[in-house]
């Protein structure tokens, strides 16, 4: 890292220490910061579960782990001392909590950028009014707004990031693809359709029966192979979906090698189908075509949690206007299967 020019930060800390999907949706803001500050050290405060994906982000130099609000009494002062020792010039808080805002203030970071929301804003000295509760734009756009606000304060005009934000070496993808197909008896060249029925719980999802019906309804001229993916604790749900597929070619893939390995598996796919959850946003970062299912609740809509792939690579489905906003049973599965097949499998 080369010395900073006058007025340009030497090291900054970006805070996104909540769920996997939230961290992934910070990648466009991180890419914007990297583009505008190529010589700056950009660290991220994340939690232990998302650490693997944070370390995979090309815009990040170091990952600082947040022990979380349930940690021991000494964890807060230890985190504060760790942050203070790194002498950050600025912190950009994409996800604001009073606990972390206080830590950044105690760590004496001179510039603390945060949304002008809740009590946490009292510990920041640069605030941007966002009103995220209105869900008027995608979450990643709110994150980009904070990065752009900071860059403009330095006299730097921000450049929006372009998909894909996550790339793997083609040789690594090809090697895993060949190995996976060999292990499960999948012919070379047959498109892999990843269907991820699990959910982190922050948004309502389709039932196992709905996912099975959707999978049975997908059509492709040359055929495709369904990969029913599952993370820790999701195996039973994945196998429930698989039990409803009959003779449709499929494989149940239980991720056990960490998030980076899971992401590399997704890079072998031709399509990702799932609910509003972290793996969906990994697929979006890869610019993989995605078909996603959302409730109509304002804080969980398809606009607010839109994926980061190109517009032509995404489809979104939700209950009809006359249904309860959380009633995923009203999603028209036959229509969704037809639209997905026509857009991505034709």
């Amino acid at each position: 890292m080369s010395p900073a020019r006058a007025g340009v930060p030497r090291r900054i800390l970006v805070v996104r220490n909540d769920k996997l999907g939230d961290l992934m949706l910070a990648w466009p803001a991180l890419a914007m910061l990297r583009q505008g500050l190529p010589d700056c050290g950009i660290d991220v405060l994340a939690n232990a579960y998302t650490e693997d994906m944070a370390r995979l982000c090309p815009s990040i130099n170091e990952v600082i782990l947040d022990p979380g609000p349930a940690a021991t009494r000494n964890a807060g002062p230890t985190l504060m001392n760790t942050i203070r020792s790194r002498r950050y010039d600025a912190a950009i808080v994409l996800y604001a909590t009073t606990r972390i805002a206080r830590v950044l203030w105690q760590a004496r970071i001179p510039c603390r950028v945060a949304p002008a929301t809740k009590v946490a804003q009292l510990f920041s000295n640069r605030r941007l009014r966002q009103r995220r509760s209105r869900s008027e734009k995608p979450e990643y756009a709110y994150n980009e707004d904070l990065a752009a606000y900071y860059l403009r304060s330095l006299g730097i005009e921000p450049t929006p990031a372009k998909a894909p934000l996550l790339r793997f070496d083609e040789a690594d993808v090809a090697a895993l693809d060949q190995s996976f197909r060999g292990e499960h008896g999948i012919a070379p060249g047959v498109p892999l359709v990843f269907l991820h029925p699990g959910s982190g719980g922050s948004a309502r999802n389709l039932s196992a029966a709905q996912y099975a019906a959707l999978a049975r309804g997908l059509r492709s001229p040359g055929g495709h192979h369904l990969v029913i993916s599952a993370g820790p604790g999701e195996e039973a749900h994945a196998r429930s979906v698989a039990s409803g597929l009959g003779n449709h070619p499929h494989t149940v893939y239980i991720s056990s090698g960490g998030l980076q390995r899971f992401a590399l598996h997704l890079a072998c796919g031709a399509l990702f189908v799932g609910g509003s959850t972290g793996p969906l946003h990994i697929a979006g970062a890869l610019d993989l075509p995605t078909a996603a299912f959302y409730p109509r609740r304002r804080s969980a809509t398809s606009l607010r949690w839109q994926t980061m792939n190109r517009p032509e690579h995404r489809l979104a489905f939700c209950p009809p206007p006359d249904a309860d906003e959380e009633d995923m049973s009203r999603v028209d599965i036959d229509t969704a299967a037809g639209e997905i097949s026509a857009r991505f499998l034709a």
Side-chain angles (χ1 to χ4, degrees), residues 73 75-85 98-110 112 123-124:
R73 289 183 61 185
T78 299
L79 177 61
M80 184 273 291
N81 287 329
T82 297
I83 291 173
R84 180 186 289 183
S85 71
T98 302
R99 177 178 62 89
I100 292 300
R102 183 185 291 112
V103 166
L104 301 179
W105 172 70
Q106 291 172 331
R108 301 175 185 172
I109 298 176
R112 302 179 302 282
F123 294 96
S124 63

Side-chain angles (χ1 to χ4, degrees), residues 15-333:
V15 177
R16 193 78 222 207
N17 57 331
D18 39 351
K19 294 185 177 182
L20 174 60
D22 303 292
L23 174 77
M24 296 308 303
L25 291 170
W27 282 40
L30 290 161
M32 180 182 285
L33 291 168
R34 174 56 66 212
Q35 175 72 19
L37 299 166
D39 297 323
C40 179
I42 300 176
D43 296 353
V44 164
L45 181 69
N47 64 46
Y49 175 67
T50 63
E51 179 184 4
D52 272 5
M53 291 310 299
R55 294 195 183 282
L56 199 57
C57 180
S59 302
I60 294 174
N61 291 96
E62 298 290 343
V63 179
I64 309 299
L65 290 183
D66 175 17
T72 64
R73 289 183 61 185
N74 292 331
T78 299
L79 177 61
M80 184 273 291
N81 287 329
T82 297
I83 291 173
R84 180 186 289 183
S85 71
R86 296 188 67 80
R87 299 184 179 180
Y88 292 109
D89 299 298
I92 303 174
V93 182
L94 304 181
Y95 174 67
T97 63
T98 302
R99 177 178 62 89
I100 292 300
R102 183 185 291 112
V103 166
L104 301 179
W105 172 70
Q106 291 172 331
R108 301 175 185 172
I109 298 176
C111 176
R112 302 179 302 282
V113 179
T117 181
K118 304 178 183 177
V119 177
Q121 69 174 300
L122 299 177
F123 294 96
S124 63
N125 52 16
R126 302 279 184 89
R127 305 179 185 93
L128 179 66
R129 186 173 297 278
Q130 293 196 307
R131 300 193 183 280
R132 294 193 187 203
S133 61
R134 295 180 178 177
S135 298
E136 295 172 336
K137 62 175 70 175
E139 181 72 6
Y140 65 78
Y142 286 117
N143 293 332
E144 287 179 311
D145 288 347
L146 282 161
Y149 172 74
Y150 176 65
L151 288 172
R152 290 190 175 110
S153 75
L154 301 174
I156 300 170
E157 187 58 30
T159 302
K162 294 182 179 180
L165 294 168
L166 172 59
R167 297 176 177 87
F168 287 105
D169 186 278
E170 291 182 5
D172 292 338
V173 176
L176 181 59
D177 181 72
Q178 183 179 23
S179 172
F180 185 79
R181 290 173 186 272
E183 181 181 353
H184 297 286
I186 307 169
V190 174
L192 301 180
V193 174
F194 279 82
L195 191 149
H196 191 87
S199 171
S202 57
R204 293 294 296 274
N205 202 354
L206 300 180
S207 67
Q210 286 176 295
Y211 272 118
L214 177 74
R216 292 194 304 268
L218 297 178
R219 297 288 182 268
S220 54
H224 58 272
H225 189 95
L226 290 161
V227 180
I228 316 302
S229 59
E234 298 175 337
E235 181 175 353
H237 194 51
R239 295 200 183 279
S240 180
V241 173
S243 69
L245 296 183
N247 294 325
H248 290 261
H250 66 274
T251 296
V252 175
Y253 159 57
I254 309 301
S255 174
S256 59
L259 288 173
Q260 291 191 14
R261 186 71 172 174
F262 176 77
L264 186 59
H265 272 91
L266 293 188
C268 301
L271 169 65
F272 180 95
V273 181
S276 181
T277 189
L280 170 70
H281 296 297
I282 295 177
L286 288 162
D287 198 29
L288 195 68
T290 57
F293 294 85
Y294 301 86
R296 287 193 302 105
R297 176 165 46 89
R298 185 166 69 174
S299 63
T301 62
S302 59
L303 173 61
R304 176 68 182 274
W305 300 103
Q306 186 180 92
T307 48
M308 301 169 284
N309 44 1
R310 288 172 287 167
E312 62 269 27
H313 277 187
R314 58 179 180 248
L315 280 173
F317 304 92
C318 63
D322 64 334
D324 183 89
E325 61 185 15
E326 297 273 8
D327 187 2
M328 299 300 284
S329 70
R330 293 287 306 280
V331 175
D332 190 327
I333 296 299

